[in-house]
Amino acid sequence: MRRERWMRCKELFLLFTVIGVFTASSAYGEQVEETKRFETILQQQQDQIQTQQENIDRLQKQVEALQEEKTTGRSTAGDETTVKTKSKATVRIYGQVNKAVLYSDDGDDGNLYLVDNDNSSTRMGLTGTVIPNERYEIGSKIEVEFQSNDSNLVSRIERRDVGDNHFRKRHLDLWVDAMIYGKLSMGWGSTASDGTSEMDLSGTSVVGYSSIVDMAGGQLFYDKNTNRLSGTRISNVFTNMDGLGRDERIRYDTPTFNGFMGSASYIADGGGDIAIRYSARIDAFKVAAAAAFSNPGGTSDTVDEQLAGSVSVLHDTGFNGTFAMGTRDPKMDGRDDGTFFYTKFGYRANWCPMGVTSLSMDYCRSTDIDQDGDEADMIGFQMAQDLESWGAEAYVGYRFHSLDRNGTDYDNINAIMAGMRVKF
């Protein structure tokens, strides 16, 4: 009897032990599954945080790019999309489309044109940079433009299908930036003097700046003596002498010292230039200035040497002023030196919730550019409205052009252009 009781107790103990182990195993399994679910949720949250941080970084770069454009008034690129490659290179893709309606009246007839705004042409490009260590940056830039009916080329004679009608190179460039030693660039790109006559903090350069010809440079003056169009265009008598532009060159830029940077370049077919730039904030003022001496050498049949520069100042109140001037020595014996003078005054304010509103008026005089004795004058007004949430700008500008030439009597040319620039 005692033995049977002991066997029953043993059987019950074994049964309870099996049930306990099974229960504990089930509970442990549930705990493991719960832990796995928690780890999955935690990983998803970490992935979301990382994605949000990447979006924040991208948006911060876009904000910095927009702020930089607002301070300079000009931009070679829109907001950039960044792609990181396996070779540690960062590739940025950018572009813009800038279309406008241009109306011009030469005193005899008025015409309406649908144009690509040459003040800041339709373009796209990409840059690639590699930073192997803290001392060097290696980069490249490929940028092209495609304009249909360039605003600086259309006229009463050529009203449409004006221009190359294909991609044109702007930058095919590579560089090595040694940080403390400076930057060396090679290829098709900006020479040292490029842009030195175009410092502009007004915020209206998208529709008008020191390059008078970009808005309606192809328009022909009407000769009142012969009662017909002359062969002289706005682009023949106005120039801002902006150095050697873009070309096949080798260029060196010094590091920046107290806001100053020096540059020099040599062009493949002969000629070269040197330039100095300055950019700084002084109390309530932002200042941008540049000056350059250029010698086109074998790249120009008309210009021997050229000296030009510009300065622009923006106050925290929004008031701003710009000044540019230059002189050139022609290659032709007996020709007078050509000169130009340009000034602009403007105001920027947050009148519209969509973005900054910029207003300006400008004046330019060019002398002895096309012929000795020529005096060409321009008076203009500009307005640009930032549309920040659209990544765009809307603008309108007006310019009055006159030419005083010995022995002729030309009508004045009035031009007005309105349009929009959208960046991506």
Side-chain angles (χ1 to χ4, degrees):
M1 180 66 69
R2 184 179 298 174
R3 182 177 180 84
E4 290 178 358
R5 290 178 180 176
W6 167 250
M7 292 299 295
R8 290 177 182 173
C9 289
K10 185 176 180 180
E11 290 174 356
L12 290 173
F13 176 76
L14 291 173
L15 177 61
F16 289 145
T17 300
V18 171
I19 293 173
V21 171
F22 178 78
T23 303
S25 299
S26 300
Y28 177 75
E30 291 178 357
Q31 185 176 3
V32 170
E33 291 297 326
E34 185 66 24
T35 301
K36 290 182 178 179
R37 285 196 295 269
F38 179 78
E39 290 176 349
T40 301
I41 294 172
L42 182 61
Q43 183 62 44
Q44 291 174 347
Q45 291 177 344
Q46 290 176 343
D47 292 340
Q48 292 175 354
I49 292 172
Q50 182 177 357
T51 301
Q52 291 174 352
Q53 184 61 48
E54 291 175 353
N55 290 335
I56 291 172
D57 293 340
R58 178 175 57 82
L59 291 173
Q60 180 63 33
K61 291 179 180 179
Q62 294 178 355
V63 170
E64 291 174 354
L66 287 172
Q67 290 174 342
E68 177 65 19
E69 179 185 349
K70 290 178 183 178
T71 57
T72 60
R74 291 181 60 79
S75 175
T76 58
D79 300 335
E80 297 175 339
T81 301
T82 302
V83 180
K84 292 184 178 180
T85 68
K86 293 183 180 180
S87 62
K88 297 182 180 181
T90 299
V91 179
R92 294 182 173 89
I93 305 171
Y94 62 90
Q96 65 181 41
V97 177
N98 193 353
K99 297 298 181 179
V101 177
L102 171 66
Y103 176 79
S104 178
D105 189 329
D106 57 23
D108 176 66
D109 191 16
N111 288 276
L112 191 68
Y113 309 89
L114 302 179
V115 297
D116 193 286
N117 183 354
D118 195 60
N119 286 283
S120 181
S121 61
T122 295
R123 67 190 67 164
M124 63 181 299
L126 61 88
T127 61
T129 58
V130 177
I131 303 178
N133 54 53
E134 66 279 3
R135 297 178 57 187
Y136 293 95
E137 178 183 84
I138 302 170
S140 60
K141 183 175 184 177
I142 300 174
E143 183 177 296
V144 294
E145 67 179 356
F146 198 127
Q147 292 182 267
S148 58
N149 270 17
D150 308 28
S151 62
N152 63 319
L153 297 179
V154 293
S155 68
R156 283 177 58 179
I157 298 175
E158 301 168 293
R159 301 186 184 187
R160 56 176 299 160
D161 295 328
V162 177
D164 295 338
N165 199 30
H166 59 69
F167 284 104
R168 289 178 289 201
K169 59 185 178 183
R170 287 177 54 86
H171 294 275
L172 302 171
D173 197 14
L174 64 86
W175 71 85
V176 177
D177 192 343
M179 307 300 180
I180 61 174
Y181 299 108
K183 179 180 178 181
L184 183 66
S185 305
M186 180 181 295
W188 184 275
S190 292
T191 59
S193 56
D194 186 27
T196 53
S197 297
E198 300 174 351
M199 299 293 106
D200 194 326
L201 301 175
S202 68
T204 60
S205 60
V206 65
V207 65
Y209 65 112
S210 65
S211 183
I212 309 303
V213 305
D214 289 354
M215 179 173 171
Q219 298 299 311
L220 295 156
F221 285 94
Y222 188 80
D223 191 334
K224 291 190 288 186
N225 292 334
T226 62
N227 291 321
R228 62 181 181 181
L229 288 175
S230 70
T232 303
R233 301 176 185 268
I234 290 175
S235 59
N236 296 138
V237 297
F238 285 98
T239 178
N240 67 348
M241 302 182 187
D242 189 43
L244 302 181
R246 292 182 296 272
D247 211 319
E248 200 72 41
R249 87 298 185 234
I250 297 176
R251 171 175 169 171
Y252 171 72
D253 299 296
T254 70
T256 300
F257 300 102
N258 296 322
F260 288 94
M261 183 187 77
S263 305
S265 60
Y266 173 78
I267 298 176
D269 297 329
D273 52 6
I274 56 174
I276 186 169
R277 290 173 170 82
Y278 177 74
S279 178
R281 171 169 283 278
I282 304 174
D283 296 329
F285 295 91
K286 179 175 177 60
V287 181
F293 170 81
S294 56
N295 179 0
T299 64
S300 174
D301 296 328
T302 58
V303 180
D304 187 18
E305 295 177 345
Q306 186 169 269
L307 178 65
S310 60
V311 59
S312 189
V313 179
L314 172 65
H315 191 264
D316 287 345
T317 59
F319 288 100
N320 56 83
T322 299
F323 173 81
M325 66 180 302
T327 181
R328 62 171 44 162
D329 179 22
K331 286 187 174 181
M332 186 180 298
D333 293 338
R335 276 294 310 274
D336 293 337
D337 291 351
T339 63
F340 93 96
F341 166 85
Y342 174 85
T343 187
K344 175 192 277 189
F345 296 96
Y347 181 68
R348 307 182 67 183
N350 289 298
W351 291 331
C352 176
M354 297 190 71
V356 176
T357 303
S358 302
L359 303 172
S360 63
M361 62 180 299
D362 57 358
Y363 168 78
C364 179
R365 165 165 283 199
S366 292
T367 60
D368 305 315
I369 301 301
D370 190 37
Q371 296 183 17
D372 287 348
D374 280 358
E375 291 184 354
D377 293 281
M378 185 285 306
I379 299 174
F381 302 91
Q382 300 84 30
M383 175 180 176
Q385 176 63 57
D386 285 346
L387 306 173
E388 294 180 356
S389 60
W390 295 3
E393 297 164 272
Y395 54 81
V396 61
Y398 163 79
R399 276 181 167 171
F400 167 89
H401 311 81
S402 66
L403 173 60
D404 184 7
R405 173 172 289 177
N406 296 330
T408 59
D409 187 10
Y410 292 127
D411 270 332
N412 303 319
I413 298 177
N414 292 274
I416 183 169
M417 184 167 67
M420 179 179 290
R421 177 175 65 179
V422 180
K423 298 182 177 181
F424 61 88

